[in-house]
Amino acid sequence: MSQSKKAGFTLIEVLIVVVILAVLAATVIPQFTDSTTDAKKSSVLFNLHTLRSQIQLYRAHHDGDVPGSDLNELTIATKADGTAGGPFGPYLSKIPVNNFTNSSTIKVVTADPVSADFNDTDGWLYNATTGEIWINYEDLGKE
């Protein structure tokens, strides 16, 4: 009488497959994490460029004056003196979001930002005297 051998994988074969999958996962997963950060960085830099260009356009229309501390003037039509209801603007439909803080709020600073100015709450750092604006994210804040 002959015994039939059962078909299947040995423990060694299964372990080899698990090790191969672990090595593949270890090389692929960090690339996905980096791509998320790269996408956030690209988006926030685009939003920064948009804000800066619209602030400059506002200045050109308003005799060198800059928008107020909340940048509200960029989202409404204004007169040459900056009050609502004129022929200029709106320059933006809304203040864009900073993808690193998930906020579009403005924090007013009086000089170039330093480490103490950065927080996880506000979206942008804005100097209402000079019209300069920065990303509220320390790694990109000097962009």
Side-chain angles (χ1 to χ4, degrees), residues 24-93:
L24 287 173
T27 58
V28 171
I29 289 174
Q31 291 178 1
F32 285 119
T33 306
D34 290 344
S35 67
T36 301
T37 303
D38 290 345
K40 280 183 176 182
K41 181 179 178 183
S42 176
S43 177
V44 79
L45 287 173
F46 176 79
N47 288 341
L48 176 65
H49 174 73
T50 300
L51 280 168
R52 285 179 173 167
S53 66
Q54 296 311 303
I55 290 169
Q56 291 306 314
L57 184 58
Y58 180 94
R59 289 180 85 163
H61 288 162
H62 296 85
D63 297 322
D65 292 337
V66 298
S69 60
D70 61 359
L71 298 179
N72 186 49
E73 294 89 345
L74 295 180
T75 62
I76 60 173
T78 56
K79 298 176 186 170
D81 64 1
T83 58
F88 303 114
Y91 302 93
L92 299 167
S93 59

